[in-house]
PDB file of all heavy atoms in Angstrom:
ATOM      1  N   THR I  20      -1.691  -1.869 -13.488  1.00 97.00           N
ATOM      2  CA  THR I  20      -0.891  -2.748 -14.288  1.00 97.00           C
ATOM      3  C   THR I  20       0.538  -2.327 -14.411  1.00 97.00           C
ATOM      4  O   THR I  20       0.867  -1.263 -14.087  1.00 97.00           O
ATOM      5  CB  THR I  20      -1.577  -2.890 -15.672  1.00 97.00           C
ATOM      6  OG1 THR I  20      -1.527  -1.671 -16.327  1.00 97.00           O
ATOM      7  CG2 THR I  20      -2.992  -3.470 -15.620  1.00 97.00           C
ATOM      8  N   GLY I  42       7.737   5.656 -21.332  1.00 98.00           N
ATOM      9  CA  GLY I  42       7.178   4.428 -20.727  1.00 98.00           C
ATOM     10  C   GLY I  42       5.894   4.069 -21.335  1.00 98.00           C
ATOM     11  O   GLY I  42       5.170   4.852 -21.923  1.00 98.00           O
ATOM     12  N   ALA I  55     -10.488  -1.736   3.208  1.00 97.00           N
ATOM     13  CA  ALA I  55     -11.623  -1.466   3.951  1.00 97.00           C
ATOM     14  C   ALA I  55     -11.298  -0.915   5.337  1.00 97.00           C
ATOM     15  O   ALA I  55     -10.204  -1.156   5.816  1.00 97.00           O
ATOM     16  CB  ALA I  55     -12.539  -2.714   4.060  1.00 97.00           C
ATOM     17  N   ALA I  86      -7.570   2.887  10.979  1.00 97.00           N
ATOM     18  CA  ALA I  86      -7.080   1.476  10.777  1.00 97.00           C
ATOM     19  C   ALA I  86      -7.826   0.949   9.600  1.00 97.00           C
ATOM     20  O   ALA I  86      -8.987   1.194   9.319  1.00 97.00           O
ATOM     21  CB  ALA I  86      -7.270   0.685  12.006  1.00 97.00           C
ATOM     22  N   PRO I 122      -9.476  13.980  -2.477  1.00 94.00           N
ATOM     23  CA  PRO I 122      -9.267  14.038  -3.888  1.00 94.00           C
ATOM     24  C   PRO I 122      -8.124  13.234  -4.411  1.00 94.00           C
ATOM     25  O   PRO I 122      -7.090  13.100  -3.713  1.00 94.00           O
ATOM     26  CB  PRO I 122      -8.972  15.525  -4.203  1.00 94.00           C
ATOM     27  CG  PRO I 122      -8.562  15.998  -2.738  1.00 94.00           C
ATOM     28  CD  PRO I 122      -9.304  15.225  -1.772  1.00 94.00           C
ATOM     29  N   ALA I 129       2.979   9.917  -5.129  1.00 93.00           N
ATOM     30  CA  ALA I 129       4.299   9.379  -5.513  1.00 93.00           C
ATOM     31  C   ALA I 129       5.346  10.034  -4.660  1.00 93.00           C
ATOM     32  O   ALA I 129       6.282   9.335  -4.158  1.00 93.00           O
ATOM     33  CB  ALA I 129       4.580   9.695  -7.035  1.00 93.00           C
ATOM     34  N   SER I 138      11.953   8.885 -11.869  1.00 92.00           N
ATOM     35  CA  SER I 138      11.103   8.708 -13.045  1.00 92.00           C
ATOM     36  C   SER I 138       9.601   9.070 -12.512  1.00 92.00           C
ATOM     37  O   SER I 138       9.190   8.703 -11.508  1.00 92.00           O
ATOM     38  CB  SER I 138      11.024   7.290 -13.525  1.00 92.00           C
ATOM     39  OG  SER I 138      10.036   7.040 -14.475  1.00 92.00           O
ATOM     40  N   GLY I 154       9.242  14.658 -17.921  1.00 97.00           N
ATOM     41  CA  GLY I 154      10.185  15.763 -18.114  1.00 97.00           C
ATOM     42  C   GLY I 154      11.355  15.771 -17.219  1.00 97.00           C
ATOM     43  O   GLY I 154      12.070  16.783 -17.185  1.00 97.00           O
ATOM     44  N   GLY I 155      11.524  14.754 -16.421  1.00 96.00           N
ATOM     45  CA  GLY I 155      12.757  14.645 -15.598  1.00 96.00           C
ATOM     46  C   GLY I 155      12.663  15.488 -14.316  1.00 96.00           C
ATOM     47  O   GLY I 155      11.596  16.038 -14.024  1.00 96.00           O
ATOM     48  N   LEU I 161       8.940  17.648  -7.228  1.00 91.00           N
ATOM     49  CA  LEU I 161       8.559  16.607  -6.259  1.00 91.00           C
ATOM     50  C   LEU I 161       8.368  15.294  -7.027  1.00 91.00           C
ATOM     51  O   LEU I 161       8.957  14.210  -6.695  1.00 91.00           O
ATOM     52  CB  LEU I 161       7.262  17.006  -5.646  1.00 91.00           C
ATOM     53  CG  LEU I 161       7.301  18.204  -4.675  1.00 91.00           C
ATOM     54  CD1 LEU I 161       5.928  18.446  -4.172  1.00 91.00           C
ATOM     55  CD2 LEU I 161       8.228  17.798  -3.493  1.00 91.00           C
ATOM     56  N   VAL I 215      12.858  10.572 -29.193  1.00 98.00           N
ATOM     57  CA  VAL I 215      11.541  10.546 -28.641  1.00 98.00           C
ATOM     58  C   VAL I 215      10.659  11.622 -29.407  1.00 98.00           C
ATOM     59  O   VAL I 215       9.478  11.271 -29.862  1.00 98.00           O
ATOM     60  CB  VAL I 215      11.638  10.787 -27.157  1.00 98.00           C
ATOM     61  CG1 VAL I 215      10.166  11.010 -26.580  1.00 98.00           C
ATOM     62  CG2 VAL I 215      12.295   9.679 -26.475  1.00 98.00           C
ATOM     63  N   ALA I 219       9.789   8.633 -32.143  1.00 98.00           N
ATOM     64  CA  ALA I 219       8.874   7.615 -31.490  1.00 98.00           C
ATOM     65  C   ALA I 219       7.488   8.246 -31.380  1.00 98.00           C
ATOM     66  O   ALA I 219       6.511   7.497 -31.653  1.00 98.00           O
ATOM     67  CB  ALA I 219       9.483   7.389 -30.030  1.00 98.00           C
ATOM     68  N   GLN I 239      17.389   2.063 -26.673  1.00 97.00           N
ATOM     69  CA  GLN I 239      17.796   1.060 -25.863  1.00 97.00           C
ATOM     70  C   GLN I 239      19.373   0.794 -26.020  1.00 97.00           C
ATOM     71  O   GLN I 239      20.060   0.490 -25.007  1.00 97.00           O
ATOM     72  CB  GLN I 239      17.087  -0.249 -26.242  1.00 97.00           C
ATOM     73  CG  GLN I 239      15.761  -0.253 -25.624  1.00 97.00           C
ATOM     74  CD  GLN I 239      15.734  -0.605 -24.199  1.00 97.00           C
ATOM     75  OE1 GLN I 239      16.338  -1.540 -23.627  1.00 97.00           O
ATOM     76  NE2 GLN I 239      14.997   0.201 -23.391  1.00 97.00           N
ATOM     77  N   ALA I 247      25.542  -0.478 -18.859  1.00 93.00           N
ATOM     78  CA  ALA I 247      26.313  -1.688 -19.006  1.00 93.00           C
ATOM     79  C   ALA I 247      27.360  -2.011 -17.890  1.00 93.00           C
ATOM     80  O   ALA I 247      27.508  -3.127 -17.396  1.00 93.00           O
ATOM     81  CB  ALA I 247      26.987  -1.810 -20.409  1.00 93.00           C
ATOM     82  N   LYS I 249      27.158  -1.514 -14.867  1.00 91.00           N
ATOM     83  CA  LYS I 249      26.590  -2.076 -13.723  1.00 91.00           C
ATOM     84  C   LYS I 249      25.610  -3.342 -13.997  1.00 91.00           C
ATOM     85  O   LYS I 249      24.985  -3.821 -13.261  1.00 91.00           O
ATOM     86  CB  LYS I 249      25.567  -0.919 -13.105  1.00 91.00           C
ATOM     87  CG  LYS I 249      26.380   0.272 -12.542  1.00 91.00           C
ATOM     88  CD  LYS I 249      27.352  -0.175 -11.447  1.00 91.00           C
ATOM     89  CE  LYS I 249      28.107   1.011 -10.953  1.00 91.00           C
ATOM     90  NZ  LYS I 249      29.064   0.670  -9.886  1.00 91.00           N
ATOM     91  N   GLY I 251      27.188  -6.168 -15.627  1.00 89.00           N
ATOM     92  CA  GLY I 251      28.275  -7.173 -16.067  1.00 89.00           C
ATOM     93  C   GLY I 251      28.762  -6.880 -17.479  1.00 89.00           C
ATOM     94  O   GLY I 251      29.241  -7.774 -18.163  1.00 89.00           O
ATOM     95  N   ARG I 254      24.233  -4.949 -22.185  1.00 94.00           N
ATOM     96  CA  ARG I 254      23.101  -4.104 -22.262  1.00 94.00           C
ATOM     97  C   ARG I 254      21.968  -4.582 -21.528  1.00 94.00           C
ATOM     98  O   ARG I 254      20.982  -4.001 -21.199  1.00 94.00           O
ATOM     99  CB  ARG I 254      22.699  -3.780 -23.746  1.00 94.00           C
ATOM    100  CG  ARG I 254      23.602  -2.979 -24.516  1.00 94.00           C
ATOM    101  CD  ARG I 254      23.318  -2.772 -25.953  1.00 94.00           C
ATOM    102  NE  ARG I 254      24.210  -1.981 -26.724  1.00 94.00           N
ATOM    103  CZ  ARG I 254      24.223  -1.790 -27.968  1.00 94.00           C
ATOM    104  NH1 ARG I 254      23.437  -2.579 -28.712  1.00 94.00           N
ATOM    105  NH2 ARG I 254      25.075  -1.015 -28.540  1.00 94.00           N
ATOM    106  N   VAL I 260      18.066 -13.475 -21.852  1.00 97.00           N
ATOM    107  CA  VAL I 260      17.042 -12.618 -22.369  1.00 97.00           C
ATOM    108  C   VAL I 260      17.652 -11.834 -23.481  1.00 97.00           C
ATOM    109  O   VAL I 260      16.919 -11.643 -24.536  1.00 97.00           O
ATOM    110  CB  VAL I 260      16.599 -11.663 -21.221  1.00 97.00           C
ATOM    111  CG1 VAL I 260      15.647 -10.569 -21.831  1.00 97.00           C
ATOM    112  CG2 VAL I 260      15.771 -12.429 -20.154  1.00 97.00           C
ATOM    113  N   GLU I 261      18.858 -11.327 -23.443  1.00 97.00           N
ATOM    114  CA  GLU I 261      19.504 -10.623 -24.519  1.00 97.00           C
ATOM    115  C   GLU I 261      19.461 -11.498 -25.793  1.00 97.00           C
ATOM    116  O   GLU I 261      19.156 -11.013 -26.843  1.00 97.00           O
ATOM    117  CB  GLU I 261      20.844 -10.144 -24.098  1.00 97.00           C
ATOM    118  CG  GLU I 261      21.618  -9.413 -25.096  1.00 97.00           C
ATOM    119  CD  GLU I 261      22.886  -8.785 -24.681  1.00 97.00           C
ATOM    120  OE1 GLU I 261      23.382  -9.287 -23.644  1.00 97.00           O
ATOM    121  OE2 GLU I 261      23.439  -7.811 -25.303  1.00 97.00           O
ATOM    122  N   ALA I 294       2.204 -12.007 -33.509  1.00 98.00           N
ATOM    123  CA  ALA I 294       2.774 -12.364 -32.274  1.00 98.00           C
ATOM    124  C   ALA I 294       2.673 -13.841 -32.038  1.00 98.00           C
ATOM    125  O   ALA I 294       3.676 -14.561 -31.493  1.00 98.00           O
ATOM    126  CB  ALA I 294       2.008 -11.558 -31.149  1.00 98.00           C
ATOM    127  N   HIS I 315       1.352  -9.460 -25.039  1.00 98.00           N
ATOM    128  CA  HIS I 315       0.522  -8.361 -24.306  1.00 98.00           C
ATOM    129  C   HIS I 315       0.081  -7.302 -25.201  1.00 98.00           C
ATOM    130  O   HIS I 315       0.696  -7.126 -26.298  1.00 98.00           O
ATOM    131  CB  HIS I 315       1.467  -7.840 -23.231  1.00 98.00           C
ATOM    132  CG  HIS I 315       1.911  -8.862 -22.163  1.00 98.00           C
ATOM    133  ND1 HIS I 315       1.170  -9.045 -20.983  1.00 98.00           N
ATOM    134  CD2 HIS I 315       2.859  -9.764 -22.191  1.00 98.00           C
ATOM    135  CE1 HIS I 315       1.740  -9.997 -20.292  1.00 98.00           C
ATOM    136  NE2 HIS I 315       2.798 -10.434 -21.019  1.00 98.00           N
TER     137      HIS I 315
END
Side-chain angles (χ1 to χ4, degrees):
T20 60
S138 172
L161 291 178
V215 171
Q239 284 285 311
K249 296 299 179 180
R254 290 175 177 169
V260 169
E261 184 172 16
H315 298 267

